[in-house]
Amino acid sequence: MVPEFGHFALILALALAVLLSSVPLAGALTGRSALQGFARPLATGQFVFIAIAFMALTRAFLLDDFSVAYVANNSNSLLPWYYKFSAVWGGHEGSLLLWILVLSGWTLAVAIFSRRLPADLLAQVLSVMGMVNVGFLLFILLTSNPFERLLPNVPADGTDLNPLLQDVGLIIHPPMLYMGYVGFSVAFAFAIAALMRGRLDSAWARWTRPWTTVAWCFLSLGIALGSWWAYYELGWGGWWFWDPVENASFLPWLAGTALMHSLAVTEKRGVFKSWTVLLAILTFSLSLLGTFLVRSGVLTSVHAFASDPTRGQFILALLGITIVASLTLYGFRAPAVHTRVRYGALSREVFLLMNNVLLMAAMLVVLVGTLYPLVLDYLGGGTLSVGEPYFNLTFSPLAVAVALMLGAGVFSRWKRTDGGWLGRQLLWPAAVSLLIAVIVPLWLGGFEPWAFVGCFAASWVLVATVRDIWGKSASRHGRMHGLRRLTRSYYGMVFGHLGMAVVMAGATVVSNYGVERDVRMTPGDQARIGDLTFRFESIGDREGPNYTAQQGVFEVREEGRLVTTLYPEKRIYNVQRSVMTEAGIDAGLFRDLFVALGEPVNGASAWAVRIQHKPLVRWLWLGAIFMAFGGGLAISDKRYRLRRRERKETDRQNASGVGEPAAEGGPG
Amino acid sequence: MHPQRKRRLTIILVLVAGLGVAVALVTYAFRQNINLFYDPSQIAAGEAPVDVRIRAGGMVEEGSVERDPDSLDVAFRVTDFDQSVTVRYTGILPDLFAEGQGVVAMGRVNEDGVLVADQVLAKHDEEYMPPEVADSLKQSKSGDASM
């Protein structure tokens, strides 16, 4: 009964979404505030019914209700409860339900936290989000019903969750990623609402900014989690493969990063308005494109669940409608919001414009590499794949250019920056970075051109940021007072940029100085990487809850001293009989030691073993945490909190369109 | 020229120059790094270029996997149930690699028509098959039974 109840709740949610997408909008267009007032209750109702559906499916998983086809295909009674829970989004239908839950959650959040918005704007924003929800609810109800029953032949047990997905990283990776992906729908809804009203003022940017930042934080963490999971579970120590599915999440991240920066310019200076709106549309379109790539089955990947082509066509249609409709609206309305504000050729505005240009170029390079094989295949031009070297060759120079621009940009001032002054500010960062870029590679094992460039770029960002803090925290009342005076949004920017420096340093060092060796070992054998000796002690059997494993024991010594003992495993999962490699990893801030068992060779007496030394690999994910932390700081800034306290007052005024004066040293 | 127009022109020129560099880079990178897919019949017929990095895929022929006892060298035959081609590889094979399963190998065909692979990919779950492999198996009729 409960699954049918969940299905019914989804249908009710669809009905509410249809109302949400039409009634408040009609109210806003005709100026009837009674109709606008429906926006919030409808958004709440929609969320409640989707949450009920989600709970109904979760219940079916936790209680092993294998009469539900989706549960039977993605779970098993032996699965630990937390994997039964995460299996809810382990397949196509459930992950789509999660998508919708997150979307309606964001809609509800906008309804709750935007009380100071003009009522008609809020009505329009919620209506646009309602439209997106209608699309996805139709999608799930028409093509991917998670509550379909297997009656009357109920299977005795489920066919289990794909063992690759039975992992802690995978419990939180999809929700994080979706929070990011779907979060950009808020910026999109604000952009569309602003276009409908023909009013793109700095207030619009101010309202959109915190939402975009939050979505960006989640997406950063989601991507980092995916990379981390690939590193220890799937990739034999690789952390980024330029796999189309990874690119699918990276594209909106690049566009979203550009959007955050261009929103800053629009808020502070009232320029780039049309561009910012276009970027908001583009970012969400890329989120939809990502969903299409991942969910339609056009790609070869873990994420591509075996699926029928109608699903792909449906998402493609949604994507098409979104792009065409929003660009048409943009075409009609964008020229109407033209403004003229002056700024010099060497100003923060121009540096942020360069940031946007470079990020867009990076996005296009990745987009071309991702879509070209698909388009060519569709046109009958043959099957081909674009290799990792393409992405490394095209993306890396752009990333370095972004970093160089960033280092100079943090010092720049709005309107106009004095060239001589800027040059003097950059002298120290340039000198120190050059020194670091020469010393670090030599110390790590030899000069490499790319290591030099990458280290320079990373330390350039780091030193420039620190130099900027030093300059901005100067105060008559002492350094501490100066540091305390700086705003949270400034520290948010600092952490975001430091995060980028940390990621760049990690990526540079691990790809240039990481050592990977595949060796054939029998128990008792040793293999060396530099000063480290990996000794294969023994191998034995171990029983897990739903698998049996062969567990190896490796002792790692440095000049005779025991560094760590690693226990890599080869698991066979009972239900699907599939083999999984569980790497043994000794994680450290400065290096990871990594051992993975390949397969037995020569009749099980010997094993193929991969041993790796990965310097600074943790920095990749640490940097993402820095970035998300920075975003968190930025949105907890005083000006957002103050405003909540002043809400009642502004509610009365129903103020709109008055940009607040630029806070000193605000984020850029 | 009006200073504002001049500035706008500079910005546009910078953008165009940047775009040009990007396009040149992309074109160059594409030429170097595109890997065409060939099925075993095409390779056996000599249609695949020698010593160019390609992708090849099909089923691993039953009983064809041979491991060298003293190293990590392995050789196996990949078939589309019409023709088959020998693949040589050194290193660790993916977990899901098995006889009778679909694989995609990346590597270069040498003068003897053997694919020397530097990467072997296996499908990710029981139901899923790389689209190229499914297509090439569909084309050679006798593959139906094992699909």
Side-chain angles (χ1 to χ4, degrees), chain A residues 299 343 383 385 520 570 581, chain B residues 7 35 37 67 69 95 128:
Chain A
L299 299 174
Y343 51 89
T383 23
S385 72
R520 179 185 174 281
K570 202 82 195 175
T581 305
Chain B
R7 202 191 61 213
N35 316 115
F37 181 86
R67 271 214 164 273
D95 288 334
Y128 193 73

Side-chain angles (χ1 to χ4, degrees), chain B:
Chain B
M1 214 191 296
H2 193 279
Q4 190 157 350
R5 266 192 218 145
K6 196 172 162 190
R7 202 191 61 213
R8 201 172 293 163
L9 189 69
T10 325
I11 290 180
I12 290 173
L13 282 180
V14 169
L15 290 186
V16 169
L19 200 67
V21 172
V23 168
L25 203 62
V26 167
T27 323
Y28 171 76
F30 254 156
R31 203 170 306 157
Q32 305 287 311
N33 297 302
I34 276 182
N35 316 115
L36 286 161
F37 181 86
Y38 291 91
D39 59 37
S41 298
Q42 286 170 312
I43 297 172
E47 284 173 38
V50 171
D51 212 27
V52 172
R53 195 156 186 265
I54 60 162
R55 278 156 71 88
M59 292 294 208
V60 180
E61 215 168 79
E62 297 282 350
S64 74
V65 180
E66 282 173 39
R67 271 214 164 273
D68 184 278
D70 300 318
S71 70
L72 291 181
D73 292 346
V74 61
F76 54 91
R77 294 184 69 76
V78 165
T79 176
D80 57 4
F81 301 105
D82 192 11
Q83 296 284 329
S84 66
V85 60
T86 304
V87 178
R88 262 195 232 131
Y89 177 70
T90 302
I92 297 175
L93 290 165
D95 288 334
L96 298 170
F97 178 92
E99 292 180 355
Q101 301 281 16
V103 288
V104 169
M106 307 268 287
R108 295 162 196 274
V109 176
N110 69 11
E111 253 122 52
D112 310 325
V114 171
L115 183 76
V116 182
D118 50 59
Q119 199 179 10
V120 175
L121 308 165
K123 61 188 187 139
H124 282 296
D125 73 50
E126 297 302 310
E127 292 159 55
Y128 193 73
M129 181 170 302
E132 300 99 322
V133 177
D135 279 354
S136 97
L137 291 181
K138 228 176 280 166
Q139 275 161 20
S140 56
K141 308 269 184 310
S142 50
D144 290 350
S146 56
M147 290 283 292

Side-chain angles (χ1 to χ4, degrees), chain A residues 407-597:
Chain A
V410 288
F411 295 111
S412 66
R413 302 268 164 87
W414 296 111
K415 292 182 196 168
R416 214 189 125 266
T417 310
D418 181 57
W421 176 82
L422 185 63
R424 283 193 298 283
Q425 297 291 308
L426 292 176
L427 213 58
W428 269 111
V432 174
S433 307
L434 205 60
L435 203 65
I436 293 178
V438 172
I439 291 174
V440 170
L442 288 179
W443 179 59
L444 282 170
F447 182 83
E448 302 273 344
W450 268 115
F452 170 76
V453 174
C455 287
F456 181 83
S459 39
W460 170 255
V461 173
L462 171 78
V463 181
T465 304
V466 172
R467 174 81 184 73
D468 187 53
I469 300 177
W470 188 257
K472 288 210 167 81
S473 63
S475 161
R476 276 182 296 131
H477 308 290
R479 186 64 59 186
M480 280 318 289
H481 179 264
L483 285 173
R484 231 174 287 136
R485 205 190 49 194
L486 294 170
T487 59
R488 280 213 202 175
S489 67
Y490 174 75
Y491 281 116
M493 176 192 86
V494 164
F495 270 96
H497 290 165
L498 287 183
M500 163 146 173
V502 170
V503 170
M504 282 192 95
T508 303
V509 170
V510 75
S511 35
N512 284 289
Y513 300 105
V515 182
E516 172 188 314
R517 288 186 61 198
D518 288 352
V519 282
R520 179 185 174 281
M521 293 175 97
T522 41
D525 280 357
Q526 293 188 358
R528 291 180 67 86
I529 292 180
D531 294 337
L532 295 163
T533 313
F534 292 72
R535 192 181 140 86
F536 188 5
E537 297 294 331
S538 61
I539 188 156
D541 291 336
R542 194 175 81 84
E543 284 292 323
N546 55 348
Y547 59 84
T548 51
Q550 283 186 289
Q551 188 181 53
V553 180
F554 286 78
E555 285 189 350
V556 187
R557 287 169 195 278
E558 188 170 16
E559 287 154 6
R561 185 178 54 86
L562 184 69
V563 179
T564 183
T565 309
L566 299 173
Y567 303 95
E569 289 183 1
K570 202 82 195 175
R571 293 180 181 171
I572 296 178
Y573 281 81
N574 301 338
V575 180
Q576 297 191 350
R577 306 304 304 166
S578 47
V579 183
M580 286 283 308
T581 305
E582 204 70 19
I585 299 175
D586 179 51
L589 185 57
F590 293 102
R591 58 104 190 89
D592 270 20
L593 301 175
F594 186 113
V595 175
L597 289 174

Side-chain angles (χ1 to χ4, degrees), chain A residues 92-232:
Chain A
H92 169 79
E93 290 87 347
S95 70
L96 199 60
L97 188 59
L98 178 68
W99 214 101
I100 292 169
L101 179 74
V102 172
L103 180 59
S104 62
W106 277 104
T107 315
L108 182 66
V110 173
I112 291 174
F113 293 112
S114 299
R115 291 183 189 276
R116 10 165 252 97
L117 281 189
D120 58 331
L121 175 65
L122 179 65
Q124 280 172 321
V125 169
L126 291 180
S127 273
V128 175
M129 297 197 71
M131 289 176 202
V132 180
N133 239 325
V134 169
F136 277 91
L137 278 165
L138 277 176
F139 181 36
I140 199 169
L141 285 169
L142 294 180
T143 71
S144 333
N145 178 12
F147 298 107
E148 212 152 83
R149 294 273 200 176
L150 284 174
L151 292 173
N153 300 316
V154 177
D157 209 335
T159 49
D160 208 2
L161 180 64
N162 184 344
L164 276 172
L165 306 182
Q166 297 184 24
D167 181 84
V168 189
L170 256 288
I171 297 179
I172 39 178
H173 164 65
M176 283 287 182
L177 208 58
Y178 284 8
M179 287 293 283
Y181 257 29
V182 181
F184 287 130
S185 69
V186 182
F188 171 79
F190 270 98
I192 297 296
L195 283 174
M196 283 183 198
R197 298 152 67 84
R199 274 170 57 182
L200 286 177
D201 37 34
S202 44
W204 166 76
R206 199 179 62 214
W207 291 320
T208 312
R209 243 180 121 180
W211 296 105
T212 309
T213 309
V214 177
W216 179 86
C217 290
F218 278 115
L219 189 56
S220 305
L221 288 177
I223 294 175
L225 273 169
S227 155
W228 177 57
W229 168 75
Y231 168 74
Y232 68 79

Side-chain angles (χ1 to χ4, degrees), chain A residues 269-283:
Chain A
R269 298 281 300 138
V271 286
F272 306 168
K273 287 174 189 166
S274 312
W275 168 243
T276 308
V277 168
L278 192 60
L279 211 47
I281 294 172
L282 179 74
T283 305

